[in-house]
Amino acid sequence: MQLYHHPYTLNSQRVRLALEEKGIDYTSYHVNPITGKNMDASFFRMNPSAKLPVFQNGGHIIFNTIEIIHYVERIAVVSSGGDNVAFSTREVIEWMQKIQEWNSKYFTLLHIPEKYRNYVSKFIRRVVIARMAESPDLAGAYHRKLKEAYEMEEKLKNPDTLKREKEHLIRLLDEVETQLNETAYLAGEEFTMADVMFIPLLGRLALLNLEEEHIRNRPNIAEYWILVQQRPSYKKVIGKHFNGWRRYKTLMKTWFLVRARTMLRRF
């Protein structure tokens, strides 16, 4: 089994948390979207959407995050012989879908200074154009990605985009806060795949220095956040990159990769 992912993307984190929680072994392949590796022809042929993560088991390839997590659950059931391992309940699935509906990408990009956002966007567009020239048989798919990039830039210029995503986030967090007043975890007293979907969202808010605004002012979520950060899966998947001083190292490393790739293309 192979997972094509990047440790900094929310959906990659969700799938990796599920794999760690279920104890499933897999081969990890890093595909960095910031440097345009998801646009390389070899990856693009496998997944023309160029989105991460991608899970492959033999000839079976899955792109959708929730579908990957359900598949991981099935693997865990088969591996255990069905002992003490259960599939997600309808309530868990509903929470997973609700969390996935929030567009973390727009929200994240709108909290990055515009000059850096434009720098990366321009770089990615150049990568797409270059890959299109190298692989003319994929020109149609690359052209769609280029169109998506321009459309995203236009949406990010609209002040209503951030307002809409922030309002969506607040509604979701308020609903979670209410739920956690009744139960220890999102879908009951036991940790589930609903929590796997939600934890990276909190991690992203912490990374953007929005804990005070969105986490600490909700006491149930604040307590839950402290609790889930103690899990071995969190420490391995997210904590090792974003806790304490490590987050500054991670962000600097990401930025320098973009700078280096851009400088190389000038020569």
Side-chain angles (χ1 to χ4, degrees):
M1 289 177 285
Q2 296 84 39
L3 180 68
Y4 299 85
H5 68 102
H6 194 268
Y8 309 162
T9 70
L10 260 69
N11 284 332
S12 293
Q13 291 172 357
R14 287 163 173 156
V15 170
R16 291 186 64 220
L17 283 171
L19 288 162
E20 292 297 327
E21 288 287 340
K22 297 298 183 181
I24 306 298
D25 291 329
Y26 63 97
T27 302
S28 170
Y29 293 100
H30 283 195
V31 181
N32 194 340
I34 297 295
T35 56
K37 291 299 291 182
N38 57 324
M39 300 296 176
D40 286 357
S42 58
F43 184 80
F44 210 62
R45 291 182 195 281
M46 180 172 60
N47 179 18
S49 75
K51 294 179 180 179
L52 297 171
V54 174
F55 187 81
Q56 183 175 17
N57 187 13
H60 197 51
I61 301 174
I62 315 174
F63 311 131
N64 180 278
T65 299
I66 293 178
E67 289 179 10
I68 296 174
I69 292 174
H70 289 333
Y71 189 81
V72 168
E73 286 187 297
R74 290 196 292 272
I75 293 172
V77 169
V78 172
S79 299
S80 68
D83 295 335
N84 299 319
V85 179
F87 292 113
S88 290
T89 64
R90 184 174 67 178
E91 182 182 5
V92 170
I93 293 171
E94 287 175 354
W95 271 113
M96 292 171 72
Q97 293 170 338
K98 194 176 299 185
I99 294 164
Q100 186 75 338
E101 287 171 0
W102 179 63
N103 194 323
S104 61
K105 187 171 186 178
Y106 284 131
F107 186 84
T108 300
L109 289 172
L110 286 165
H111 282 83
I112 296 173
E114 186 177 2
K115 65 176 181 178
Y116 299 136
R117 192 170 70 227
N118 291 341
Y119 186 93
V120 173
S121 180
K122 182 178 179 180
F123 171 76
I124 295 300
R125 282 191 275 110
R126 289 172 61 185
V127 170
V128 173
I129 292 169
R131 297 294 176 270
M132 192 186 306
E134 294 168 0
S135 305
D137 60 310
L138 295 172
Y142 278 123
H143 182 72
R144 285 192 292 274
K145 292 305 296 182
L146 195 59
K147 182 181 178 182
E148 286 176 15
Y150 281 115
E151 289 175 348
M152 175 173 286
E153 289 179 21
E154 288 303 312
K155 285 183 179 179
L156 292 174
K157 292 176 184 177
N158 186 346
D160 288 339
T161 301
L162 178 58
K163 179 183 177 184
R164 186 165 52 249
E165 296 305 330
K166 185 174 181 179
E167 289 173 349
H168 189 167
L169 173 66
I170 289 171
R171 289 195 301 272
L172 175 61
L173 292 176
D174 286 346
E175 189 171 351
V176 170
E177 177 70 8
T178 299
Q179 175 64 35
L180 293 177
N181 194 47
E182 304 295 330
T183 57
Y185 293 99
L186 205 50
E189 298 305 319
E190 300 294 331
F191 187 92
T192 68
M193 294 298 102
D195 301 291
V196 159
M197 289 291 294
F198 188 59
I199 290 170
L201 185 155
L202 296 180
R204 179 57 52 88
L205 293 176
L207 178 66
L208 295 173
N209 292 318
L210 295 173
E211 281 188 271
E212 194 67 42
E213 180 179 357
H214 293 298
I215 297 178
R216 294 189 186 125
N217 68 341
R218 294 177 172 87
N220 295 324
I221 290 180
E223 184 178 349
Y224 169 91
W225 179 225
I226 292 171
L227 175 67
V228 297
Q229 287 182 82
Q230 306 310 310
R231 297 185 76 84
S233 62
Y234 171 87
K235 293 178 181 179
K236 183 173 182 178
V237 173
I238 301 175
K240 71 179 291 186
H241 297 291
F242 296 109
N243 276 6
W245 62 270
R246 294 182 181 87
R247 81 181 200 171
Y248 300 104
K249 180 181 178 181
T250 295
L251 293 173
M252 289 294 288
K253 181 180 177 182
T254 300
W255 175 242
F256 280 129
L257 276 172
V258 175
R259 292 281 297 180
R261 287 287 292 266
T262 304
M263 291 300 291
L264 284 172
R265 288 180 180 277
R266 291 179 180 175
F267 296 97

